[in-house]
Amino acid sequence: MSAAARTHLFTSESVAEGHPDKLADQISDAILDAILAKDPLGRVACETAVTTGLAFVIGEITTDTYVEMRDIIRQTIEEAGYDRPGFGFDADTCGVIVSIDKQSPDIARGVDTGGAGDQGMMFGFACDETPELMPAPIQLAHQLARQLARVRKQETLPYLGPDGKTQVSIQYQNGRPARVDTIVVSAQHREEASLEQIRDDIRETVIDVIVPARMIDRNTVIHVNPTGRFVLGGPRADAGVTGRKIIVDSYGGYARHGGGCFSGKDPSKVDRSGAYAARYAAKNIVAAGLARRCEIQVAYAIGVRKPVSVLVDTAGTERVPIATIEKLIDEYFDLTPVGIIEQLDLRRPIYKQTAVYGHFGRSDLDLPWERTDKAAQLAEEAGVQRLQVMESQDA
């Protein structure tokens, strides 16, 4: 039996904006956005660690402007929901330490000439499982996590805290998502909320709102706060570090990842911009109908403009020869660091909004690498009919 014909499960997770690792990502990207708003050519490599009562920001930043990082850090912590001492970590009372140096001149000499800011490989992926051209497990996990945040912020469930996790296991039949096998939602809550109330409320206001009824059957297993208690959360319960949720940030493990994180890095860092460009190309290839799934690897050498390699893998779903797809990518997508920045207009403060709930498949945001503006041209040149997809289920 072929892999496409067998029945199997695949699982992906997402995390809430109050999760300590995601809080660290948001702080790093908030600092990046503040600098790019005043200095589009600023060089930023900023990392954050959070723990009980402390936020620690380190890295290398070279810029002609000044931003008050401590104010940005506290504002980001408050926006994530840590606005009262009862959480054991809050914006007003936590300690803030900032230790920033300038970018190494040895790195800058390569970037200044238009080369890549580092070596490494990045992956971009798209498939036709969802309207956003994302794998179904990670897309549903993100939508559940965003809904969990909505019911907290809108005080539909006023007892919820900022921390939380979601996880979705989907059963595939003949290579296509057929049903949801298991859903896990772990939501931080106040002491007074009972487990029975939490489970009933989250089923009604989160799961039933997001997951299509046709995907749930009597055999679907739903776990809500499976340990029975989630009062202690956030940095008080677990330290968080920038870049520790790279699989949540990308494709939920469904496609490969180059290993470098995105948050806290300006677009001269190809860990970020290269991954965005590869997603942009892969998504347009699938949207054009050239393949049902497409994974693109692009690799760079520090200080060198042209990628050292570009690999296209369509897992046998291509409708035109791979050589044709490779030719079209080379023709329509500039994968040099300078070309990526210009094509996607990346020297803007657009990054903090991506630091939670995924960098890809964001139907709730207008992100340049999520556009399918080249799909019609690709389809016409390849002589195929464009992909038709259903409307998004995202609330």
Side-chain angles (χ1 to χ4, degrees):
M1 179 181 293
S2 69
R6 71 187 178 96
T7 297
H8 68 278
L9 299 177
F10 194 90
T11 302
S12 295
E13 73 160 350
S14 182
V15 298
E17 56 207 69
H19 185 283
D21 292 329
K22 276 289 132 204
L23 181 60
D25 286 342
Q26 291 169 88
I27 291 171
S28 294
D29 272 340
I31 291 171
L32 170 64
D33 275 1
I35 290 172
L36 291 180
K38 295 182 177 181
D39 179 13
L41 298 179
R43 303 274 174 78
V44 180
C46 175
E47 301 192 25
T48 303
V50 293
T51 187
T52 304
L54 179 64
F56 184 28
V57 176
I58 60 174
E60 299 80 43
I61 296 177
T62 300
T63 180
D64 292 331
T65 191
Y66 172 81
V67 298
E68 183 48 71
M69 293 188 191
R70 288 171 176 80
D71 289 348
I72 295 168
I73 294 165
R74 293 190 187 280
Q75 180 180 349
T76 304
I77 293 170
E78 182 176 5
E79 290 173 352
Y82 293 106
D83 55 3
R84 60 179 72 96
F87 290 124
F89 180 90
D90 74 282
D92 291 331
T93 65
C94 73
V96 174
I97 300 175
V98 176
S99 180
I100 297 293
D101 291 320
K102 291 185 177 181
Q103 183 182 65
S104 163
D106 296 341
I107 297 175
R109 66 183 297 182
V111 181
D112 290 344
T113 59
D118 200 355
Q119 69 178 48
M121 67 283 188
M122 301 84 215
F123 289 90
F125 180 78
C127 63
D128 64 354
E129 292 183 7
T130 66
E132 299 83 6
L133 304 187
M134 286 286 286
I138 186 65
Q139 197 66 15
L140 267 181
H142 282 322
Q143 290 169 359
L144 286 169
R146 287 204 293 274
Q147 181 65 10
L148 192 63
R150 289 188 192 102
V151 297
R152 173 178 62 86
K153 293 177 179 179
Q154 295 170 1
E155 297 191 342
T156 304
L157 305 183
Y159 55 78
L160 290 183
D163 200 354
K165 283 184 160 187
T166 62
Q167 183 172 286
V168 177
S169 301
I170 286 186
Q171 183 179 67
Y172 284 75
Q173 294 178 354
N174 299 321
R176 305 297 293 173
R179 56 179 292 273
V180 173
D181 183 81
T182 306
I183 297 170
V184 183
V185 178
S186 295
Q188 184 186 14
H189 59 90
R190 296 183 187 176
E191 187 88 42
E192 65 270 17
S194 70
L195 180 60
E196 182 179 9
Q197 177 188 12
I198 294 167
R199 288 177 171 170
D200 288 345
D201 287 349
I202 287 181
R203 176 64 193 263
E204 178 183 350
T205 67
V206 178
I207 296 172
D208 289 347
V209 169
I210 294 298
V211 183
R214 60 182 172 78
M215 295 290 286
I216 295 180
D217 57 34
R218 60 189 179 88
N219 295 318
T220 299
V221 177
I222 297 177
H223 296 292
V224 176
N225 286 7
T227 70
R229 176 183 168 90
F230 187 2
V231 174
L232 296 180
R236 181 183 178 188
D238 188 14
V241 181
T242 298
R244 208 158 60 178
K245 286 291 177 285
I246 59 176
I247 301 304
V248 172
D249 287 340
S250 53
Y251 307 101
Y254 198 96
R256 287 173 283 192
H257 194 294
C261 80
F262 307 144
S263 289
K265 297 176 180 177
D266 75 80
S268 73
K269 279 71 172 175
V270 285
D271 277 339
R272 181 167 222 157
S273 56
Y276 290 171
R279 161 67 176 173
Y280 180 50
K283 187 173 184 181
N284 276 272
I285 292 296
V286 174
L290 275 59
R292 288 178 57 185
R293 58 183 289 164
C294 181
E295 183 182 74
I296 299 174
Q297 185 203 57
V298 58
Y300 297 90
I302 188 168
V304 178
R305 288 192 179 206
K306 189 176 179 180
V308 300
S309 69
V310 178
L311 173 68
V312 178
D313 182 2
T314 58
T317 66
E318 69 275 6
R319 297 173 61 199
V320 298
I322 294 291
T324 299
I325 296 176
E326 292 173 336
K327 178 178 177 294
L328 290 171
I329 289 173
D330 184 62
E331 181 180 348
Y332 282 91
F333 301 92
D334 186 345
L335 296 179
T336 65
V338 171
I340 293 169
I341 290 170
E342 292 179 353
Q343 184 171 230
L344 298 179
D345 191 16
L346 295 181
R347 295 196 183 279
R348 298 179 289 143
I350 59 174
Y351 299 106
K352 183 189 172 187
Q353 61 185 346
T354 69
V356 66
Y357 311 126
H359 293 244
F360 309 122
R362 297 297 299 272
S363 57
D364 58 320
L365 302 176
D366 180 18
L367 301 175
W369 54 88
E370 288 298 305
R371 296 170 187 166
T372 54
D373 51 347
K374 296 183 182 293
Q377 293 172 288
L378 295 172
E380 181 178 0
E381 191 151 337
V384 300
Q385 186 175 359
R386 282 196 63 182
L387 174 70
Q388 300 296 318
V389 296
M390 69 189 92
E391 292 185 1
S392 172
Q393 295 290 329
D394 195 8

